[in-house]
């Protein structure tokens, strides 16, 4: 199942909308690539999205 802004993991619920959107994008990519275990996809996507956001802000 592909996640989107309407349907996404509960762990992403409290993220800022911009970070959540990026985390969803990353999670879908990780699922597709199968480079990360199923259990690690959501935490890894959140981590990468938060890093992306911090780097974007400078």
């Amino acid at each position: 199942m592909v996640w989107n802004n309407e349907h996404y993991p509960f762990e992403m619920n409290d993220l800022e909308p911009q970070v959540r959107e990026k985390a969803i994008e990353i999670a879908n990519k990780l699922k597709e690539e199968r480079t990360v275990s199923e259990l690690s996809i959501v935490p890894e996507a959140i981590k990468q999205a938060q890093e992306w956001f911090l780097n974007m802000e400078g």
Side-chain angles (χ1 to χ4, degrees), residues 6 9 15 17 19 35 37 44 47 53-56 58:
E6 312 276 312
L15 297 174
V19 176
T35 55
S37 74
E44 181 63 26
K47 180 183 144 209
F53 186 73
L54 290 174
N55 287 336
M56 188 179 74

Side-chain angles (χ1 to χ4, degrees), residues 10-47:
F10 176 78
E11 296 88 347
M12 295 181 184
N13 204 35
D14 292 333
L15 297 174
E16 294 290 327
Q18 194 173 15
V19 176
R20 182 184 315 118
E21 190 172 322
K22 188 66 171 179
I24 292 167
E25 175 187 327
I26 293 168
N28 284 327
K29 183 179 175 189
L30 292 173
K31 280 176 78 172
E32 182 181 311
E33 293 174 349
R34 299 178 190 240
T35 55
V36 177
S37 74
E38 285 286 324
L39 294 175
S40 299
I41 288 173
V42 173
E44 181 63 26
I46 290 171
K47 180 183 144 209

